[in-house]
Structure formats: C-alpha cells, structure tokens
Amino acid sequence: MKVRWTIFLFLCGFAMLSYVQRTSLGVAAQNIMPDLHLSQMQIGWLNAAFATCYALAQLPGGILGQRFGARITYTVVGLVGLVATLATPLAPVVLAGTALFIALLAAQGLLGFSQGPVFPMVAAVSQTWFPQRQWAMTNGTISLAMNIGGAMTAPFIVILTGHYGWQGALLWIAVPAVLLTAA
C-alpha cells in the first residue's frame, strides 16, 4: 500500500516537471529572443519541434515502456529530459547563429521525445498499481499535477530570470529533474 502511493507521488512529480520543462522556453522567450537574436517565428519553430517530437514519441514510448517497465522508462525519460533541459541554456555558450538555432531545435525535439512516454506510462502504472475503482482518481490527480506545473512555471521562471538571467533560470529547472530521476 505504501509503495503504491510512493509510486503515485513519482508519477505526479514527473507530470509536474514535464510541464515545467515544456513551458519554460515560452515563458523565457522574451528574454531569449533579443539575447540570441531569435525571431518570434524561430521561437515558434522551437515550440513546434517539441510538440512534433512529443506527439511522435507517445506511441513508441508507450510500447517501450511496456517492454522495459516503468522504472527504466522513467529513468531514461528523466536523463534524456535533463540533457535536453541543460542543452537549451548551455548551447549559446559554445554556438552562435545557424548552428545555435539547430542545436536549440535539437534540444527541444529531444525534450519532446523524452516526454512522449510520460503520460502513456502514467496510464499503465496506474492500471498496474491501483485497483480499477481508483484509476480515475489517480489519472485526474496526475493531470492536476501537470497543470500545476504549467501554472507555476511562469512566475517561477520570471523570478529566477530576475535573479539569474534566462540561462540561469533554465538551468535551475535541471535541479528538480536531477533529484526526481535520481530518486
């Protein structure tokens, strides 16, 4: 019983973190655009790279999750998502111009691929660890966690940007990713 609810908290954590990771670029865009000389269209392309890769990764991510299990899948999701999260603020340190934009596209695409399996696996883990009468509650609460993650991203990124700049703010997002994946 205790293990079930610990697993449930991890699912909530991954759901929340995935929405923080996916929305942080959009929130920080007003600071990123002038600093990296990106247009609003290019920011749109970065968001599209995430969304496209996310959609394409859901079915194979769910299949791989069933094949390898939730523990391995979420560990891989966490590690790949961490790399993608770190790549966005660190790429401008070593790249510029077209190479930088391609690296940012790749980072956002990688983030999308890493998050594709998250929600198919939520359903599978809920089915495995919870009785059928609790599936709606677990999935609903996990959906609440992801929406809380999305809602808290804007003020979180704005505050962190004020203290550490946009790159520092995006680097701080890596901290919960490291902790959650390690746990």
Side-chain angles (χ1 to χ4, degrees):
M1 185 77 131
K2 182 180 178 186
V3 172
R4 174 187 321 173
W5 293 105
T6 301
I7 290 169
F8 173 74
L9 291 175
F10 275 104
L11 293 176
C12 287
F14 270 101
M16 184 179 288
L17 181 60
S18 71
Y19 268 66
V20 169
Q21 289 174 321
R22 77 177 57 187
T23 56
S24 61
L25 179 80
V27 174
Q30 72 177 18
N31 297 94
I32 294 171
M33 287 172 27
D35 196 29
L36 301 183
H37 308 291
L38 297 177
S39 68
Q40 193 168 3
M41 176 72 84
Q42 288 172 308
I43 295 293
W45 279 105
L46 295 177
N47 288 326
F50 170 85
T52 301
C53 293
Y54 174 75
L56 291 174
Q58 286 200 340
L59 179 61
I63 292 168
L64 289 172
Q66 284 182 324
R67 171 126 168 81
F68 295 107
R71 183 183 309 235
I72 290 172
T73 302
Y74 279 113
T75 301
V76 170
V77 161
L79 291 173
V80 173
L82 175 63
V83 168
T85 299
L86 291 172
T88 300
L90 295 179
V93 174
V94 294
L95 299 170
T98 303
L100 173 59
F101 183 66
I102 290 170
L104 293 174
L105 277 173
Q108 289 302 300
L110 187 62
L111 185 61
F113 277 127
S114 77
Q115 291 185 5
V118 169
F119 295 104
M121 287 307 299
V122 161
V125 171
S126 294
Q127 182 180 11
T128 301
W129 283 93
F130 290 89
Q132 187 175 5
R133 70 182 189 286
Q134 291 181 328
W135 291 352
M137 184 275 305
T138 57
N139 283 299
T141 306
I142 292 165
S143 294
L144 172 67
M146 71 181 182
N147 286 312
I148 289 171
M152 68 184 223
T153 302
F156 187 61
I157 293 296
V158 168
I159 291 167
L160 288 173
T161 299
H163 291 288
Y164 305 106
W166 71 266
Q167 287 173 295
L170 295 185
L171 286 172
W172 271 104
I173 291 172
V175 173
V178 167
L179 296 174
L180 187 61
T181 303

